[in-house]
């Protein structure tokens, strides 16, 4: 028997919640965005009227305003969004104990074996979300997670879309390949070079060729296009493992020199290192994210010789990645550092690490700095390089930036 999987997507979530608190905005184009003065001004969400003007999530405020002069800008209020997300999840959990978050505004539900059909549950969920929360949801119903997700995207707002083994080729295969979950802009461009422009093209492609070019991810995408996704919906009572710790910032001005990058990376690396220590993790890989002023993104990573939670080690690795992969003369708009491949700090093989005594001293030093900052504030003790440019270093990643929880 096929599974019955639902994917619920709360429509225009941030903007919808803001309009609940500000009814006077309901008939106006609204965009929720970051701090414009600090250049965190990208569109995080928009309502239906703003979408009708061509405004897209992720574009800059200046680009959005050029499309719609009457656009109303609203700052995000994450506490409100988390509250509504939790209330929606409480509703979902009345129908299944297998509920898996996919971001703050989306969830999968496995309702296999429920007395109601998938469509009946979907319609009932949409009605309850509309009447109990005051917002709307689009819900996809299918026999696997990928098609359920694509069903919730197929028709918006406040709609139920059913994708079955009988209709998925007719409904999904004509769509552009970029509509497939996990096909980003870069992958779509590479697929286009192979003559793969639609999901149907991807489904009919040579799987071995995709494996040669994209590795296991290419095979996975081929399986998704052919409806062969068997991944389970993770039960709501399962524990979740932290897989990485990172911080990214959009700088208040373009990073045009290596010194600019050094200042910003030190702030980010100290934040990531402190968070690793707080969670009793060390990382084995460092990932660097760069976005230039044309909004082109690049991510590169390198394996570390041994696990670490020291800011100095993270910074050294991030700088190596920057020098190796950044194109000289190209200003950066944003930059980020992430520690990946996490291991418990207790499980480290000290015998394989050189200069254990020196390592212990450095770890003790950074932990002492954590204690000072915890008692007296982040500015109580700082590296000298951060004082050379207070414009670039004047932020606290852990406190200043919105953290979008993966699990509510």
């Amino acid at each position: 028997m096929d599974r019955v999987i639902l994917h619920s997507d709360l429509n225009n979530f941030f903007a919808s919640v803001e309009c609940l608190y500000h009814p006077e905005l309901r008939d106006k184009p609204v965009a929720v965005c970051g701090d414009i003065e600090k250049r965190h001004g990208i569109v995080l969400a928009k309502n239906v009227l703003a979408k009708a003007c061509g405004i897209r999530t992720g574009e800059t405020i200046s680009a959005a305003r050029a499309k719609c002069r009457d656009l109303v800008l609203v700052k995000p209020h994450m506490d409100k969004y988390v509250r509504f997300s939790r209330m929606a999840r409480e509703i979902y959990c009345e129908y299944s104990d297998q509920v898996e978050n996919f971001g703050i505004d989306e969830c999968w539900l496995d309702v296999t074996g429920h007395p109601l059909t998938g469509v009946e549950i979907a319609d009932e969920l949409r009605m309850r979300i509309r009447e109990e929360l005051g917002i709307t949801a689009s819900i996809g119903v299918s026999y696997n997670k990928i098609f359920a997700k694509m069903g919730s995207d197929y028709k918006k707002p406040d709609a139920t879309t059913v994708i079955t083994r009988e209709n998925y080729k007719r409904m999904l295969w004509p769509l552009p390949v970029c509509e497939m979950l996990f096909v980003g802009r870069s992958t779509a461009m590479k697929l286009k070079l192979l003559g793969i422009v639609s999901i149907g093209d991807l489904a009919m492609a040579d799987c071995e060729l995709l494996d040669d070019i994209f590795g296991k991810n290419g095979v996975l995408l081929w399986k998704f296009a052919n409806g062969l996704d068997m991944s389970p919906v993770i039960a709501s009572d399962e524990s979740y493992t932290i897989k990485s710790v990172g911080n990214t910032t959009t700088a208040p001005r373009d990073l045009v020199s290596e010194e600019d990058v050094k200042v910003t990376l030190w702030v980010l690396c100290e934040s990531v290192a402190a968070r690793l220590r707080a969670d009793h993790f060390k990382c084995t890989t460092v990932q660097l994210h760069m976005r230039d002023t044309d909004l082109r993104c690049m991510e590169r990573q390198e394996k570390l010789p041994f696990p670490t939670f020291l800011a100095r080690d993270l910074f050294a690795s991030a700088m190596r990645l920057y020098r190796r992969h950044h194109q000289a003369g190209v200003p950066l708009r944003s930059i980020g550092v992430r520690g990946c491949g996490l291991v418990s700090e207790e499980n480290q093989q000290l015998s394989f690490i050189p200069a254990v005594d020196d390592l212990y001293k450095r770890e003790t030093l950074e932990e002492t700095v954590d204690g000072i900052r915890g008692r007296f504030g982040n500015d109580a003790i700082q590296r000298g390089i951060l004082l050379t440019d207070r414009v670039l270093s004047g932020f606290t990643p852990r406190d200043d930036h919105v953290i979008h929880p993966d699990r509510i």
Side-chain angles (χ1 to χ4, degrees):
M1 182 179 67
D2 275 341
R3 296 181 297 165
V4 182
I5 309 297
L6 275 57
H7 183 273
S8 178
D9 184 355
L10 302 176
N11 301 140
N12 312 308
F13 183 46
F14 292 2
S16 296
V17 173
E18 293 297 337
C19 288
L20 274 180
Y21 284 86
H22 301 281
E24 71 277 7
L25 300 180
R26 290 178 180 173
D27 297 325
K28 300 178 181 179
V30 175
V32 180
C33 62
D35 191 327
I36 302 172
E37 294 180 358
K38 293 183 178 180
R39 300 209 319 164
H40 303 156
I42 64 170
V43 175
L44 302 175
K46 73 281 182 189
N47 66 358
V48 174
L49 294 176
K51 184 178 181 179
C53 296
I55 293 172
R56 296 177 292 106
T57 300
E59 70 180 339
T60 62
I61 293 301
S62 58
R65 278 178 162 166
K67 296 176 181 178
C68 179
R69 290 183 299 175
D70 298 326
L71 183 66
V72 179
L73 305 180
V74 181
K75 291 184 178 181
H77 298 90
M78 186 55 61
D79 56 334
K80 296 177 182 177
Y81 312 147
V82 168
R83 175 171 170 262
F84 274 80
S85 179
R86 285 174 174 160
M87 289 191 294
R89 186 184 177 91
E90 289 172 359
I91 295 175
Y92 303 147
C93 287
E94 293 182 26
Y95 297 83
S96 175
D97 61 354
Q98 291 179 276
V99 179
E100 179 182 352
N101 283 22
F102 189 58
I104 193 171
D105 57 345
E106 303 180 37
C107 277
W108 278 292
L109 297 79
D110 188 333
V111 295
T112 306
H114 195 282
L116 298 177
T117 68
V119 174
E120 289 171 336
I121 295 173
D123 289 342
E124 193 169 302
L125 286 173
R126 289 194 299 108
M127 180 270 294
R128 292 189 59 183
I129 289 170
R130 185 170 57 248
E131 295 184 359
E132 296 177 29
L133 304 187
I135 57 180
T136 62
S138 292
I139 300 179
V141 182
S142 191
Y143 61 94
N144 65 53
K145 290 171 65 176
I146 298 299
F147 284 178
K149 161 65 177 169
M150 297 183 71
S152 69
D153 291 335
Y154 196 86
K155 186 178 181 181
K156 296 176 181 285
D158 199 10
T160 296
T161 301
V162 182
I163 298 178
T164 66
R165 291 187 184 275
E166 291 70 36
N167 70 10
Y168 78 85
K169 294 180 182 180
R170 172 176 55 82
M171 293 181 63
L172 302 182
W173 279 15
L175 299 177
V177 72
C178 59
E179 297 292 322
M180 173 66 69
L181 188 62
F182 304 125
V183 175
R185 182 173 61 179
S186 176
T187 300
M189 291 175 63
K190 292 177 182 177
L191 289 171
K192 186 176 181 180
L193 294 176
L194 300 174
I196 298 173
V197 296
S198 71
I199 294 176
D201 294 336
L202 177 61
M204 300 298 290
D206 185 337
C207 188
E208 292 185 2
L209 175 64
L210 295 174
D211 187 21
D212 290 339
I213 297 175
F214 299 98
K216 63 180 181 180
N217 290 331
V219 177
L220 200 61
L221 292 176
W222 180 87
K223 288 183 176 180
F224 289 167
N226 283 285
L228 302 177
D229 170 39
M230 296 300 295
S231 56
V233 176
I234 300 174
S236 58
D237 59 352
E238 288 189 28
S239 59
Y240 302 102
T241 303
I242 298 174
K243 296 183 178 180
S244 65
V245 173
N247 278 114
T248 300
T249 187
T250 299
R253 60 177 173 80
D254 294 341
L255 306 178
V256 297
S257 68
E258 186 169 296
E259 289 304 308
D260 290 345
V261 172
K262 284 182 178 179
V263 171
T264 308
L265 282 182
W266 267 121
V267 178
L268 294 171
C269 289
E270 288 202 327
S271 173
V272 173
R275 292 172 60 196
L276 286 169
R277 290 190 292 271
D279 291 328
H280 307 290
F281 285 118
K282 292 187 176 184
C283 67
T284 60
T285 300
V286 171
Q287 184 181 86
L288 180 69
H289 168 87
M290 296 178 284
R291 173 184 281 184
D292 64 24
T293 50
D294 292 325
L295 303 184
R296 292 183 298 238
C297 296
M298 175 187 293
E299 286 188 352
R300 296 292 184 271
Q301 65 183 36
E302 72 169 16
K303 190 83 171 178
L304 297 172
F306 50 83
T308 186
F309 55 32
L310 295 176
R312 188 177 78 170
D313 296 336
L314 301 181
F315 174 81
S317 177
M319 282 303 301
R320 284 194 297 270
L321 290 168
Y322 169 78
R323 289 166 176 159
R324 193 179 303 148
H325 298 289
H326 175 252
Q327 183 178 346
V330 176
L332 296 180
R333 175 182 173 86
S334 64
I335 194 166
V337 176
R338 183 172 296 276
C340 308
L342 305 188
V343 296
S344 172
E345 63 176 306
E346 288 85 9
N347 294 335
Q348 189 171 356
Q349 295 287 340
L350 291 178
S351 59
F352 295 134
I353 300 176
V356 173
D357 289 342
D358 180 57
L359 176 65
Y360 176 76
K361 291 177 182 178
R362 290 191 284 120
E363 290 183 349
T364 302
L365 176 61
E366 293 206 12
E367 288 169 344
T368 302
V369 171
D370 290 343
I372 294 173
R373 288 174 173 166
R375 290 186 62 189
F376 303 108
N378 195 66
D379 294 336
I381 182 169
Q382 290 188 310
R383 296 180 184 270
I385 189 173
L386 302 187
L387 302 177
T388 63
D389 194 325
R390 296 300 295 166
V391 173
L392 291 180
S393 66
F395 70 102
T396 306
R398 192 168 185 172
D399 298 334
D400 292 352
H401 295 156
V402 173
I403 297 175
H404 298 269
D406 288 331
R407 308 291 179 191
I408 303 299

